[in-house]
Amino acid sequence: GFVGGSKLKNFDGMAPTFFRPSDITVGPDGAIYFCDWFDPRVGASSNMDDSCSGTIYRIAPKDFEPSVPRLDLTTTAGQVKALRSPAVNTRYLGFRALRAKGTAAFTAVTRLLEDENKWIAARAVWLLPYLGDEGIRKCIARLSHEQFQQRVLAYRALRRAGHDMVPHAHRLSSDPSPQVRREVALSLRDLPARTTAKIFTDLARHCDTTDKNSLEAIGIGAANKESEVWTAIRAALKPGSPEKWSDDFTRLTWRLWGAASIANLKTRALDRSLSLDERKFAVESLAF
């Protein structure tokens, strides 16, 4: 029970000032709710409040009168209404019901794609892969959308629905958007190198290795197959002998810490024609 080096003498008096907002959600009435636990201990999770007291706060416009809409999940219109809800649990009920309808929900769901609220329109995209062949084709078509956010969304929706992402990954591995390429890289994590090596080489060619998110995405996607991926990238990029490596290939090697690069990194670490920083970076790469 210490705060700023001073021991607290009055826990009960101090408790209301030691708040810990612990969760937040949006209610079906559209208001924001967050719960707050009062705890007179700072810096740890031990409970020193025997009452476990707290408060739930509501954030809403002035003169707000909460009202929970009635739902009819037996009709398509009611399911769409639930999907439009700001409350995650309510819109999941609508999502689940529309998904179960399959092709019968296609027309109603595709209308939502044009909704002026982009967040509601996005919920429709997540449903497309479950709405039969037409829904799948419409979702795949959005991989060519002019807005990169829509391409990312369609890719995630197809992946979530369990589709074979390899053909789409090949197609988008050279996408101009680093966000799209990041999605592609992450989706390769559980796929073998024999299937994904060509995709990784395309991702490497277009990777800004000074962007930690782009570089890390390739590393995460190559998990447990780093040596195979690094060897394929080296064969494709042809970086030359170790002392002539570009900064990009050096950083890719640093992140793809497969054993296949050890001999080359040792060469760089011992090569006095390289700068001290370059040699230290090789040692750091070996450490990984």
Side-chain angles (χ1 to χ4, degrees):
F2 289 84
V3 178
S6 300
K7 189 170 184 178
L8 294 176
K9 297 180 180 179
N10 182 0
F11 287 152
D12 293 333
M14 294 292 290
T17 68
F18 286 88
F19 54 90
R20 292 188 176 191
S22 56
D23 201 1
I24 185 168
T25 192
V26 179
D29 58 359
I32 299 172
Y33 294 85
F34 70 89
C35 58
D36 187 17
W37 169 38
F38 295 150
D39 177 19
R41 181 182 178 91
V42 174
S45 296
S46 298
N47 176 28
M48 299 181 69
D49 173 17
D50 294 337
S51 68
C52 289
S53 58
T55 300
I56 295 178
Y57 294 95
R58 181 177 68 204
I59 301 175
K62 187 177 180 181
D63 300 324
F64 175 78
E65 295 184 8
S67 175
V68 178
R70 294 179 62 86
L71 296 177
D72 180 6
L73 294 172
T74 64
T75 67
T76 301
Q79 294 159 4
V80 170
K81 182 178 179 181
L83 184 68
R84 298 177 67 91
S85 172
V88 64
N89 58 312
T90 303
R91 65 174 176 263
Y92 176 70
L93 295 176
F95 182 97
R96 185 175 63 180
L98 290 164
R99 181 180 61 189
K101 268 195 159 104
T103 56
F106 178 79
T107 301
V109 171
T110 52
R111 285 198 200 103
L112 288 177
L113 293 173
E114 307 303 323
D115 198 279
E116 62 182 9
N117 185 321
K118 65 180 182 179
W119 307 111
I120 289 175
R123 295 172 197 170
V125 177
W126 286 103
L127 273 166
L128 288 176
Y130 302 100
L131 306 183
D133 292 340
E134 283 188 276
I136 294 171
R137 282 194 294 269
K138 199 165 189 67
C139 194
I140 291 174
R142 296 181 79 84
L143 295 175
S144 301
H145 200 285
E146 61 182 6
Q147 296 178 0
F148 77 85
Q149 297 96 330
Q150 293 295 326
R151 301 197 296 278
V152 168
L153 174 60
Y155 194 89
R156 287 177 175 176
L158 289 164
R159 186 183 176 196
R160 174 69 64 86
H163 283 256
D164 177 10
M165 299 307 295
V166 172
H168 308 310
H170 275 289
R171 174 182 171 187
L172 296 176
S173 59
S174 57
D175 191 276
S177 166
Q179 288 91 338
V180 173
R181 298 196 304 272
R182 183 186 73 111
E183 292 299 318
V184 171
L186 295 175
S187 71
L188 306 179
R189 181 177 177 87
D190 297 320
L191 300 176
R194 65 178 180 276
T195 303
T196 58
K198 174 62 168 61
I199 303 171
F200 275 113
T201 59
D202 288 342
L203 291 170
R205 281 194 180 95
H206 294 87
C207 180
D208 174 4
T209 60
T210 64
D211 172 13
K212 65 179 182 179
N213 291 319
S214 295
L215 185 61
E216 182 64 16
I218 290 177
I220 292 173
N224 301 317
K225 50 183 179 285
E226 292 91 349
S227 283
E228 296 95 327
V229 170
W230 178 82
T231 300
I233 291 174
R234 182 183 60 174
L237 299 188
K238 297 179 172 57
S241 56
E243 71 277 4
K244 296 180 180 178
W245 284 358
S246 67
D247 290 342
D248 282 334
F249 189 74
T250 302
R251 283 189 283 265
L252 282 164
T253 302
W254 169 82
R255 183 53 186 85
L256 292 170
W257 43 56
S261 62
I262 288 177
N264 285 189
L265 288 169
K266 179 181 177 182
T267 298
R268 284 183 63 83
L270 296 175
D271 192 328
R272 293 181 178 273
S273 69
L274 298 177
S275 70
L276 179 59
D277 284 342
E278 289 172 320
R279 297 172 64 201
K280 286 168 64 178
F281 194 54
V283 172
E284 181 181 320
S285 302
L286 281 167
F288 280 112

